[in-house]
Amino acid sequence: MGANHGVLATVHGVALVGLEPYRVTVEASLASGLPTLRLVGLPDAAVREAGDRVKTGLQRSGFVWPGERLVVNLAPADLPKVGTAFDLPLAIAVLIATGQVPRSAIGTWACGEVGLDGSIRAVPGLLPITAGARGFGAGRLFVPDVAAREAALVSDIEVVPVHDLAEVGRVLHGARPRVAEPAAIATPGPGPDLAEVRGQHLARRAVEIAAAGGHHLLLSGPPGCGKTMLAHRLHGLLPMLEVPAAMEVAAVHSLAGERAPDAPLSLVPPMREPHHTVSSAGLIGGGSGVPRPGELPLAHHGLLLMDELLETPRFVLDALRQPLERGSVIITRARARVTYPARVQLVAATNPCPCGELGNPTRSCSCRPDAIERYRARLSGPLLDRLDLQVEVWPVERDQLVGPPDGESTVVVARRVAEVRHRAAERWGSGVLSRDVPAATLRRSVRGAALRALASDLEQLGASARGFDRCLRVARTLADLAGDDVVDVEHVQEAVAYRLSSPVMAT
Ligand SMILES: Nc1ncnc2c1ncn2[C@@H]1O[C@H](COP(=O)(O)OP(=O)(O)O)[C@@H](O)[C@H]1O
Ligand SMILES: [Mg+2]
Ligand SMILES: [Zn+2]
């Protein structure tokens, strides 16, 4: 077991900045001198502790810590390397440098935390790390066996599950590695059904349109009329995700530590429901080290449900605006800007005023006018503008509540939603919703009379140009729901009506 003096033992790992992977090279070499460890290129405390963990882990696994000076460099130096994912590359580099595994191990790719007992532990973000390694041309990647099924979802790379450093040693000596089965694909059970909602025909229609086109929705009305019920049932109308989209969702959740590493890959679009006391950091993301993705990126390819929207302070709500427009969030750090994907559909519910009864024909509002004004002011014009569908919801009669279902079930409505999504995908490409289509593209399938009608309607209302495009998108979805290839005046008129019916809008 001769020490490899002069050998540069190079092992590769992957660092994440946001979801963006970067190749990290760990180089270990022995030099004559006192038995010390010199780690270079490590700004983060957790990685500095890696030396101690790896040393103890190796010794407990029956390996020998060198009695000479060991120099380890993590390159590139300017890349923030946080967390414990470089323990395993470090351990392997030391094993190579000290001649305890063959030189053929040079160039190995690995990711994992090393426990003091030599076990290999899961790290956040293994899915995007594995995808990154594949992108860098890694043929195989050593990963913690507890999380191997998540990594094995990535194709075209051999995922080698390892339980501890002893197993790593055996594989590097040529033992046949275990095979990681990819995580199963989850088939969801049914959620709450739309048929449980009585009455609310206008709101049900809006929920269907929102699901079909991915439009942002605002439900406004007094407490207890079924807003929260409706919002939850929108989720059940959404089609399952394609596997690549589901992988993006899993990557964000993996990074956020919101995903059990052996969990099946879920094709269900995520639904996040932050409490109204959420902070803007909670929505966007933050924290030290690798910033934790907030509710917006966690809702990527799914729904962000903001119940009691106007209980949330305005400066927090304003944090929603740019991400909704851009489809991503940007977290600015001292050293780096981190971007997470956040293609999100916002579904919001609110009372029209603090007491909730404003505009209710059967109850009277007890709020002072200035209190109502302050309440509504939280919903800034630009955010309100982005809520394509705004609907008033009123309580239904008691008889109706206890009567038989008077509306379609989730299965029936979801079928129409799927049809519209299918038409949209054929027209614009897979996964493209009318919410995302550039206005110039949209206009090509709109009848001239419809464009003129929309322009004059919106001019009377003093709506913005953004409002025009958003109305067109909703009108496109309405035409698709009706099976019409061309957007006509009737679709535009219905779309305009959804921007105006909410009393919140009336200010
Ligand atoms: N339209 C409705 N159809 C069926 N049940 C309803 C309806 N509206 C309210 N309910 C009942 O009242 C409860 C409260 O509804 P919820 O959706 O929380 O109201 P909101 O969010 O508007 O305050 C529901 O759980 C349901 O039992
Ligand atoms: Mg509610
Ligand atoms: Zn009131």
Side-chain angles (χ1 to χ4, degrees):
M1 205 167 52
N4 279 319
H5 276 276
V7 165
L8 194 57
T10 305
V11 177
H12 305 290
V14 175
L16 293 175
V17 178
L19 285 179
E20 191 78 38
Y22 291 86
R23 178 208 297 254
V24 169
T25 301
V26 181
E27 300 162 335
S29 57
L30 281 181
S32 41
L34 291 174
T36 53
L37 172 66
R38 205 170 111 73
L39 277 171
V40 191
L42 303 175
D44 176 63
V47 189
R48 260 180 271 123
E49 290 160 11
D52 297 333
R53 276 196 306 276
V54 167
K55 179 176 180 181
T56 312
L58 282 171
Q59 288 172 335
R60 298 263 169 90
S61 309
F63 294 106
V64 180
W65 189 256
E68 291 153 286
R69 192 168 129 87
L70 183 62
V71 182
V72 177
N73 180 29
L74 273 76
D78 58 353
L79 185 73
K81 301 170 215 65
V82 292
T84 54
F86 304 105
D87 288 5
L88 185 53
L90 174 58
I92 295 173
V94 171
L95 288 174
I96 300 169
T98 54
Q100 299 182 83
V101 297
R103 283 191 191 198
S104 57
I106 290 174
T108 297
W109 288 76
C111 168
E113 177 177 326
V114 172
L116 294 176
D117 56 354
S119 62
I120 310 297
R121 300 186 175 161
V123 295
L126 188 58
L127 186 59
I129 285 172
T130 307
R134 178 194 53 191
F136 295 129
R140 71 177 188 177
L141 175 73
F142 285 70
V143 306
D145 65 351
V146 288
R149 300 194 68 187
E150 173 176 316
L153 285 166
V154 180
S155 54
D156 301 323
I157 181 169
E158 183 192 352
V159 167
V160 178
V162 281
H163 183 72
D164 50 31
L165 287 173
E167 185 175 9
V168 173
R170 287 196 298 276
V171 174
L172 291 177
H173 272 106
R176 183 202 287 270
R178 287 188 279 152
V179 175
E181 286 295 323
I185 296 198
T187 43
D193 202 282
L194 201 55
E196 290 160 18
V197 180
R198 303 295 148 81
Q200 311 300 15
H201 295 293
L202 184 68
R204 288 176 56 114
R205 168 99 171 138
V207 163
E208 176 175 341
I209 300 162
H215 308 288
H216 308 306
L217 170 70
L218 174 67
L219 299 165
S220 159
C225 64
K227 301 183 297 293
T228 302
M229 261 187 115
L230 282 156
H232 282 145
R233 280 153 186 80
L234 198 165
H235 186 241
L237 296 177
L238 302 177
M240 293 297 108
L241 300 174
E242 305 276 346
V243 169
M247 297 264 278
E248 288 177 28
V249 173
V252 177
H253 286 241
S254 162
L255 195 64
E258 291 253 340
R259 185 174 194 286
D262 56 351
L265 181 70
S266 174
L267 302 185
V268 183
M271 175 169 70
R272 302 293 299 190
E273 212 178 337
H275 190 254
H276 59 72
T277 55
V278 67
S279 64
S280 37
L283 282 176
I284 306 285
S288 59
V290 178
R292 187 183 180 283
E295 295 295 325
L296 274 156
L298 286 168
H300 180 48
H301 286 308
L303 286 187
L304 181 70
L305 208 164
M306 300 280 290
D307 212 346
E308 312 292 353
L309 184 75
L310 293 193
E311 299 296 328
T312 304
R314 175 168 172 165
F315 73 92
V316 177
L317 292 181
D318 281 343
L320 290 170
R321 267 165 45 194
Q322 285 208 328
L324 288 183
E325 204 72 357
R326 231 187 343 238
S328 61
V329 299
I330 297 172
I331 303 171
T332 311
R333 315 304 298 270
R335 307 248 244 93
R337 259 160 57 114
V338 172
T339 305
Y340 291 123
R343 279 192 59 199
V344 165
Q345 179 177 10
L346 175 63
V347 179
T350 185
N351 293 340
C353 65
C355 86
E357 304 299 345
L358 184 70
N360 191 343
T362 58
R363 304 268 278 273
S364 60
C365 166
S366 58
C367 304
R368 290 171 37 159
D370 58 327
I372 297 175
E373 208 163 297
R374 272 199 310 278
Y375 192 71
R376 291 168 166 189
R378 291 194 191 157
L379 192 53
S380 69
L383 178 58
L384 190 62
D385 241 14
R386 286 168 173 80
L387 295 164
D388 320 84
L389 297 158
Q390 300 164 14
V391 190
E392 258 180 15
V393 191
W394 297 115
V396 300
E397 303 286 331
R398 192 174 297 273
D399 297 350
Q400 217 173 340
L401 275 185
V402 295
D406 55 0
E408 293 168 313
S409 67
T410 292
V411 186
V412 174
V413 180
R415 212 174 289 143
R416 284 198 297 270
V417 168
E419 246 162 62
V420 172
R421 296 276 187 126
H422 183 71
R423 280 169 154 262
E426 289 206 317
R427 196 183 293 123
W428 297 306
S430 167
V432 183
L433 303 168
S434 23
R435 180 184 80 216
D436 309 316
V437 178
T441 308
L442 269 184
R443 281 172 206 225
R444 275 185 239 135
S445 66
V446 184
R447 207 177 287 288
L451 281 175
R452 286 190 296 278
L454 180 57
S456 86
D457 278 1
L458 291 181
E459 193 182 285
Q460 278 177 19
L461 303 161
S464 69
R466 200 192 289 118
F468 187 91
D469 294 343
R470 291 192 163 265
C471 271
L472 267 192
R473 293 193 180 100
V474 173
R476 177 66 265 173
T477 302
L478 287 166
D480 280 336
L481 272 168
D484 295 335
D485 278 331
V486 177
V487 178
D488 217 329
V489 176
E490 63 195 274
H491 308 126
V492 158
Q493 280 170 342
E494 189 180 347
V496 172
Y498 286 117
R499 285 189 84 75
L500 305 169
S501 61
S502 155
V504 180
M505 180 70 181
T507 51

